Amino acid sequence: MPRSSKPRIGVVVVAAGSGQRLGYGLPKAQVPLAGRTILAHALEGILASGVAERICVAVPPGDSVLRTVCTAASGQVPVTAVEGGTSRAASVSHALAGLGSGLDGILVHDAARALTPPEVFGRVVQALAAGAKAVIPAVPVADTIKTAVPSGAGQQAMAGEKVSGTPDRSRLRAVQTPQGFDAAALNAAHRSLAAMGQLEAEAITDDAMLLESQGTEVFLVPGSPEALKITTALDLMTAEALVAARSRTGQPAVEIERSSVNHPVPTMED
Ligand code: CTP
Ligand code: MG
């Protein structure tokens, strides 16, 4: 990644999911949030950050609604659409192909994180420009997390599971998108995903994990509580409240939490 000039950044948006858990009867990125589609909000945040040279969106097969949203958002920064795949990883691969070559860095963003503040995109790109090959936004975990195992025969009254451990919460992070990568490293990682067996590929749940599994260091920058993933009907209600608060104040509704995940990022000299 060149440090002297502005890095050339492409953004992949994955919007090809079906939104089963939201239960709206529409592909999730088409679901209205404050009168516009979830995808329209996601594209607005990316464009407002000013980091993108071009954007490619993976949309569900047969979709025309989201393609129209892409066309409407396309301007100085071109926004193209490609057909997504049957898994999130496949949708990322399709959109990577659609993004084309000649980029220094690529951000992979979930349309479902539609209200991610533009500053989060800026922080990820800044870390890439400083020499990191993989960067993800993260926030501290509020809940105590347990690991669980089946409780075994004869223990059905205990709901079938028992606790096997309690990881140290101070070291846990909830990760968000956009996840940012050196373009060559991400493209190479996705080529290796295509060569993996199905079970191995299914165990890779995000792009950072794919690079981690190949020994690339993944750095954290502060995420934002406003970058919540709209998964359930309750999340959609929260998102509606956030949009309403933003339009009342003209400001992000919640103070961005920068404190506990402000990890250093390597420079080219490191
Ligand atoms: N996604 C995608 N292609 C898929 C599956 C998911 O592009 N085959 C995208 C979704 O559109 C979403 C992001 O990946 O922006 C995260 O996925 P998730 O929140 O699980 O969305 P859905 O798969 O749509 O929801 P659900 O799992 O409830 O069906
Ligand atoms: Mg899903």
Side-chain angles (χ1 to χ4, degrees):
M1 176 98 34
R3 299 182 81 190
S4 47
S5 55
K6 193 176 177 231
R8 301 185 63 186
I9 300 292
V11 182
V12 155
V13 180
V14 281
S18 57
Q20 293 297 315
R21 287 168 290 177
L22 193 54
Y24 210 89
L26 282 178
K28 184 156 68 185
Q30 284 188 20
V31 168
L33 165 58
R36 300 158 64 211
T37 60
I38 283 180
L39 177 63
H41 287 276
L43 290 174
E44 183 182 74
I46 299 167
L47 292 169
S49 76
V51 302
E53 179 177 304
R54 50 190 123 112
I55 300 173
C56 184
V57 184
V59 300
D63 162 89
S64 60
V65 173
L66 297 178
R67 284 179 187 267
T68 306
V69 171
C70 293
T71 308
S74 193
Q76 207 177 353
V77 175
V79 182
T80 54
V82 296
E83 191 169 294
T86 51
S87 64
R88 182 186 182 277
S91 294
V92 173
S93 286
H94 292 191
L96 280 177
L99 208 50
S101 56
L103 295 164
D104 300 313
I106 296 174
L107 310 189
V108 180
H109 188 47
D110 286 344
R113 295 190 186 273
L115 301 182
T116 302
E119 300 75 45
V120 178
F121 291 88
R123 288 202 279 274
V124 171
V125 170
Q126 208 181 3
L128 286 176
K133 288 211 178 306
V135 185
I136 60 181
V139 291
V141 171
D143 293 323
T144 294
I145 307 286
K146 305 282 183 191
T147 54
V149 292
S151 57
Q155 309 264 334
Q156 273 79 357
M158 316 301 177
E161 288 191 329
K162 64 184 177 186
V163 169
S164 58
T166 308
D168 173 8
R169 189 174 67 185
S170 67
R171 298 186 59 207
L172 296 176
R173 302 287 179 268
V175 309
Q176 304 178 327
T177 69
Q179 299 196 339
F181 305 96
D182 173 81
L186 182 64
N187 279 310
H190 268 268
R191 280 194 296 275
S192 73
L193 183 69
M196 276 181 201
Q198 196 178 342
L199 273 183
E200 202 186 347
E202 275 171 7
I204 307 277
T205 52
D206 74 352
D207 299 276
M209 197 175 161
L210 184 57
L211 274 88
E212 276 165 67
S213 72
Q214 300 175 353
T216 303
E217 279 188 303
V218 178
F219 292 88
L220 300 175
V221 294
S224 165
E226 297 188 35
L228 78 151
K229 183 151 80 78
I230 300 169
T231 305
T232 63
L234 182 62
D235 299 327
L236 188 60
M237 288 167 69
T238 306
E240 293 276 1
L242 260 173
V243 176
R246 283 179 181 181
S247 68
R248 269 198 311 276
T249 63
Q251 292 291 321
V254 183
E255 202 61 39
I256 290 171
E257 291 174 14
R258 303 197 55 134
S259 52
S260 37
V261 285
N262 213 354
H263 293 272
V265 158
T267 66
M268 293 295 265
E269 287 77 35
D270 287 335

